[in-house]
Amino acid sequence: MQTNEPKITAELVASHGLKPDEYERILKLIGREPTFTELGIFSAMWNEHCSYKSSRIHLKGLPTKAPWVIQGPGENAGVIDIGDGQAVVFKMESHNHPSYIEPYQGATTGVGGILRDVFTMGARPIACLNALSFGAPEHPKTRHLVSGVVAGVGGYGNSFGVPTVGGQVRFHTRYDGNILVNAMAVGLADADKIFYAAASGVNMPIVYLGSKTGRDGIHGASMASAEFDDASEEKRPTVQVGDPFAEKLLLEACLEIMAADCVIAIQDMGAAGLTCSAVEMGAKGDLGVDLDLDAVPTRETGMSAYEMMLSESQERMLMVLKPEKEKEAEAIFRKWGLDFAVVGRTTPSKRFRVKHGGAVMADLPIKELGDQAPVYDRPHVASPALAVIAAREVKAPMSIPAALEKLIATPELCSRRWVWEQYDHVILGNTVQRPGGDAAVVRVEDGPKGLALTVDVTPRYCDADPFEGGKQAVAEAWRNITAVGGRPLAITDNLNFGNPERPEIMGQFVGCLKGISQASRALDFPVVSGNVSLYNETRIPGEQLGRGILPTPSIGGVGVLDDFSKSATLAFKGAGEAILLIGDTQGWLGQSVYLRDICGREEGAPPPVDLAAEQRNGDAVRGMIRSGTATAAHDVADGGLLIALAEMAIAGGIGGQLLPAPSAIMPHAYWFGEDQARYIVTVPAAQVGPVLAKMKEAGVPCTRIGTTGGDTIAIAGEAPLSVAALQAGFEHWFPAYMSGAN
């Protein structure tokens, strides 16, 4: 072993994010003191971001199988069968900490990384989505972070040439010191041509592909596994730098050598770079790996073994190639102007050996590097149950129309057009439904099929009741897909939480995961991929405990439409159509936007989620869309019934005359309560009777609540509001905020 490396001290171990007992575990595992490079390798493989040491035991409870699931969690991305020999490959990942430190590069490399996860599996990316959580609008850093992140998402996706078709943007003071940037990518592949990470065969060439290795991103995975503190700004060098044009070349070269049958195994160099990709390929194949770092293409001089092993430079891949295809593969990569270097071989030793300058810098048991990482069953306590808030206890401080006019223009509910207009959402020519609806719809190549894609979660529900919040996040994604006519098939998740070493935070994680599991099982909506992002917390000077984000388990959903041309949109289509409300309404105000933004009360139990009702009501709506009975459809979510109606009116430029609230429900609770499992659909007037009869027979609550037409939204007994005025308020807040006008 080479010895001219720093001496291993307790301080050095701690600076690598390893606790004393974890270091003792390393000593027992290898029977000696590690080298500096080996310490870095263990730090990379055993941090939270790569090992999932706090979450692994709980993730095992997720439902991951279905007849249409080709590959569940454990690979670069999940894969589902959509028929006709086609598969959809998709995953969501976080780039939270880097995006707070360096918003543009953090967001770009988040998008770049998730795209690589998809095309590593042999799929051509066809769509991106994202879920962005920012601090309070009035916080001094928020506007800068929004600007940088949105520019980064657009800058990478637009340049790479994949449409960004949907997502979420939210603001809350709990994200002031730790924003969330969750990126999702979706790709198409032949169902029988999926590529995996497990190496096979002895003495097979391990090939480095793509861009050169630099010093950017070193300790990126470790940074993602720690809280922020006063020194977080100093972590700028750990943020990677992305190049979407290099990634586009990498995509085309990878797909070409896959088509040429050159590849045995392939792994993206993502978190922990060369270390994680090489170890995972060998360990999954029960093989050893020998690496010679002298062969690694570098863009900086004098890089040490430690730096090369931990660099997270972007646009890089590691492959095991068929020996007889090596020259053919090299020619393809050279044609695309990319580096191609044989940097190692597979071995039967089950050891991970790294050489540099002729010296052995690391010699470790490869399986144990991953399999023997610590697994913690951390103490967790359930969140206390919050009181149910009765509608009669909530006094309405203003009229129903005044509340609607105010809510539609708030940061929570206003249009996100300012964001998505910076993304190219139509490149490739297959985007059927653009951002702004319940779910995006993307055509599958030239056939009649379409994909319905969405990302959703309601963090305030998860904070108030993690179990119900987890259920609701899955149910909401299921509803979004249903509302455009899609058949929900599977989900990917991005589980963003605070410090798992705090029992109440770990309790939030466990509670949300139980809710996600129950909803996924009940709705036949399995989890096929995902990411866990913990330690999303900021230490506050002078306070012992950090301030955690709202628990935010983002759910990315994928569904299929047999005929994309029959997808539904939320816009009112014409005058004189009946407006029907599907689902039961009790007037649930706990944790509602109305209660918080109109009444100034952020409290109470969130609405419960009846999964049987979700399935029954959703199946009915999907049937109406497929049969052509529904002319418009929209799920009722944040802000409640009247907000959903206003969104439909604004989208269609058509108003509606609405019946008064039922006498049994307080009007403000009826119009702004956030009861679940509800949809608004419009049908031709002649269809009302047959639809109501059919719904009654199926046991689906369905009520006529009004008629489309005119240029106002008019509730009987209330002052009408013009659709144009509502639209002006709806579209005003975001551009005004970003220009500094408010």
Side-chain angles (χ1 to χ4, degrees):
M1 292 273 185
Q2 187 167 318
T3 56
N4 60 342
E5 292 188 323
K7 179 176 172 53
I8 306 298
T9 64
E11 291 75 21
L12 190 64
V13 170
S15 73
H16 280 71
L18 293 164
K19 292 185 165 47
D21 61 319
E22 293 175 337
Y23 183 64
E24 287 300 317
R25 192 186 187 107
I26 291 169
L27 295 179
K28 286 181 184 175
L29 182 63
I30 65 175
R32 57 176 169 78
E33 184 180 88
T35 66
F36 180 54
T37 300
E38 288 174 334
L39 182 69
I41 288 170
F42 273 109
S43 168
M45 293 300 298
W46 285 16
N47 65 47
E48 193 74 58
H49 193 75
C50 293
S51 73
Y52 287 24
K53 57 191 176 186
S54 297
S55 59
R56 201 184 309 174
I57 62 169
H58 301 290
L59 295 172
K60 291 177 182 177
L62 290 171
T64 60
K65 292 182 169 61
W68 53 89
V69 174
I70 296 172
Q71 175 64 51
E75 275 288 340
N76 286 294
V79 187
I80 58 173
D81 191 331
I82 59 167
D84 302 313
Q86 295 174 309
V88 176
V89 179
F90 64 103
K91 190 182 182 185
M92 181 161 46
E93 279 212 345
S94 60
H95 230 221
N96 303 336
H97 286 46
S99 298
Y100 183 77
I101 294 168
E102 183 58 71
Y104 184 87
Q105 292 297 348
T108 64
T109 49
V111 174
I114 199 63
L115 285 166
R116 283 195 304 280
D117 280 340
V118 165
F119 71 75
T120 297
M121 303 289 291
R124 180 173 290 278
I126 61 165
C128 282
L129 300 92
N130 54 73
L132 311 177
S133 302
F134 298 103
E138 60 272 16
H139 189 273
K141 289 195 74 168
T142 298
R143 189 180 284 110
H144 161 72
L145 291 168
V146 174
S147 177
V149 166
V150 171
V153 169
Y156 205 99
N158 298 355
S159 301
F160 180 82
V162 64
T164 301
V165 297
Q168 271 195 311
V169 181
R170 70 179 55 83
F171 297 90
H172 195 282
T173 187
R174 292 271 290 278
Y175 303 105
D176 284 349
N178 199 130
I179 65 172
L180 303 182
V181 175
N182 295 170
M184 177 177 168
V186 182
L188 274 176
D190 291 339
D192 60 350
K193 292 176 184 171
I194 305 299
F195 290 82
Y196 300 96
S200 63
V202 173
N203 203 31
M204 297 295 170
I206 297 174
V207 183
Y208 173 114
L209 307 162
S211 298
K212 288 178 169 59
T213 294
R215 290 188 171 96
D216 55 320
I218 293 172
H219 287 306
S222 298
M223 177 186 69
S225 305
E227 295 173 307
F228 276 144
D229 54 27
D230 293 340
S232 62
E233 292 294 328
E234 297 170 13
K235 295 178 181 175
R236 244 175 243 281
T238 62
V239 178
Q240 309 92 327
V241 178
D243 181 348
F245 302 106
E247 179 133 329
K248 175 65 172 172
L249 298 176
L250 184 61
L251 161 71
E252 299 300 341
C254 285
L255 293 182
E256 189 170 336
I257 68 167
M258 288 168 171
D261 196 26
C262 300
V263 180
I264 294 174
I266 179 169
Q267 180 72 34
D268 161 43
M269 282 195 230
L274 188 54
T275 290
C276 196
S277 56
V279 169
E280 286 189 1
M281 287 177 77
K284 284 180 178 178
D286 283 327
L287 293 167
V289 167
D290 283 1
L291 292 181
D292 182 359
L293 298 185
D294 294 347
V296 171
T298 57
R299 64 168 184 263
E300 300 181 48
T301 57
M303 288 189 72
S304 67
Y306 178 95
E307 290 172 323
M308 281 191 267
M309 292 307 296
L310 297 187
S311 167
E312 293 185 11
S313 294
Q314 297 291 286
E315 292 84 40
R316 302 180 300 159
M317 293 281 193
L318 207 61
M319 289 189 188
V320 179
L321 291 179
K322 295 178 179 178
E324 70 275 14
K325 294 278 194 175
E326 187 178 316
K327 292 301 178 188
E328 183 180 352
E330 181 174 4
I332 291 170
F333 264 77
R334 298 295 183 204
K335 178 187 77 175
W336 288 100
L338 295 165
D339 279 299
F340 178 103
V342 178
V343 297
R345 296 274 166 182
T346 59
T347 73
S349 67
K350 297 188 182 179
R351 303 287 296 180
F352 183 52
R353 286 192 286 252
V354 180
K355 286 185 177 180
H356 187 224
V360 176
M361 307 303 290
D363 187 349
L364 299 167
I366 197 165
K367 293 282 284 183
E368 287 78 356
L369 261 176
D371 294 348
Q372 294 300 314
V375 176
Y376 295 121
D377 185 0
R378 296 195 183 278
H380 52 88
V381 295
S383 299
L386 300 180
V388 173
I389 293 179
R392 64 181 177 277
E393 297 170 5
V394 179
K395 288 191 169 60
M398 60 183 73
S399 70
I400 301 300
L404 170 60
E405 199 166 23
K406 181 175 179 179
L407 285 172
I408 202 78
T410 58
E412 184 81 21
L413 300 175
C414 73
S415 169
R416 269 56 178 147
R417 184 184 302 274
W418 182 91
V419 174
W420 56 258
E421 282 193 339
Q422 297 189 52
Y423 306 149
D424 190 334
H425 42 270
V426 296
I427 194 167
L428 302 180
N430 289 319
T431 305
V432 177
Q433 284 202 43
R434 306 178 183 190
D438 286 305
V441 177
V442 178
R443 182 177 58 171
V444 176
E445 294 176 345
D446 297 322
K449 280 205 298 277
L451 298 178
L453 310 172
T454 187
V455 178
D456 222 308
V457 64
T458 311
R460 64 183 186 277
Y461 292 173
C462 297
D463 192 47
D465 186 332
F467 177 67
E468 289 296 332
K471 284 166 61 180
Q472 193 274 342
V474 174
E476 177 67 18
W478 197 85
R479 281 201 301 272
N480 288 342
I481 292 168
T482 295
V484 297
R487 184 172 72 255
L489 289 179
I491 63 176
T492 181
D493 58 34
N494 204 142
L495 308 174
N496 307 275
F497 291 81
N499 185 345
E501 296 168 46
R502 294 170 58 181
E504 68 276 16
I505 301 297
M506 199 63 209
Q508 291 177 343
F509 180 86
V510 172
C512 281
L513 214 58
K514 286 180 178 176
I516 290 168
S517 296
Q518 187 175 107
S520 298
R521 224 172 245 110
L523 298 172
D524 216 4
F525 204 25
V527 182
V528 299
S529 61
N531 171 246
V532 177
S533 176
L534 302 177
Y535 294 97
N536 290 292
E537 195 153 302
T538 307
R539 289 185 210 146
I540 301 168
E543 294 188 19
Q544 188 174 5
L545 295 176
R547 188 187 199 206
I549 60 162
L550 292 173
T552 310
S554 301
I555 301 295
V558 174
V560 69
L561 297 96
D562 296 329
D563 183 348
F564 72 84
S565 69
K566 293 182 179 177
S567 67
T569 67
L570 58 80
F572 285 159
K573 301 301 187 299
E577 296 192 329
I579 304 171
L580 304 180
L581 172 61
I582 290 177
D584 190 34
T585 299
Q586 301 291 327
W588 195 283
L589 288 175
Q591 295 300 325
S592 66
V593 180
Y594 178 87
L595 189 68
R596 186 188 68 193
D597 292 354
I598 299 298
C599 304
R601 297 169 57 181
E602 197 166 356
E603 59 186 90
V609 179
D610 181 337
L611 294 168
E614 291 284 359
Q615 181 141 39
R616 182 187 65 231
N617 298 353
D619 289 350
V621 170
R622 206 177 306 110
M624 292 177 70
I625 294 170
R626 284 179 185 162
S627 68
T629 306
T631 55
H634 189 21
D635 89 301
V636 180
D638 288 339
L641 175 56
L642 196 52
I643 292 296
L645 285 161
E647 289 169 345
M648 297 176 83
I650 290 168
I654 298 168
Q657 288 72 52
L658 305 176
L659 299 171
S663 58
I665 305 176
M666 302 286 287
H668 58 293
Y670 176 74
W671 292 115
F672 299 112
E674 296 184 7
D675 305 80
Q676 300 295 293
R678 295 188 299 164
Y679 303 80
I680 300 168
V681 295
T682 56
V683 301
Q687 292 285 330
V688 175
V691 168
L692 291 176
K694 189 173 182 180
M695 291 296 175
K696 184 176 182 181
E697 185 181 344
V700 174
C702 182
T703 311
R704 182 171 185 170
I705 60 170
T707 304
T708 61
D711 57 6
T712 66
I713 290 183
I715 302 169
E718 302 278 1
L721 281 174
S722 83
V723 173
L726 286 170
Q727 182 170 12
F730 183 59
E731 298 288 355
H732 172 77
W733 186 87
F734 228 117
Y737 173 70
M738 293 309 297
S739 69
N742 62 343

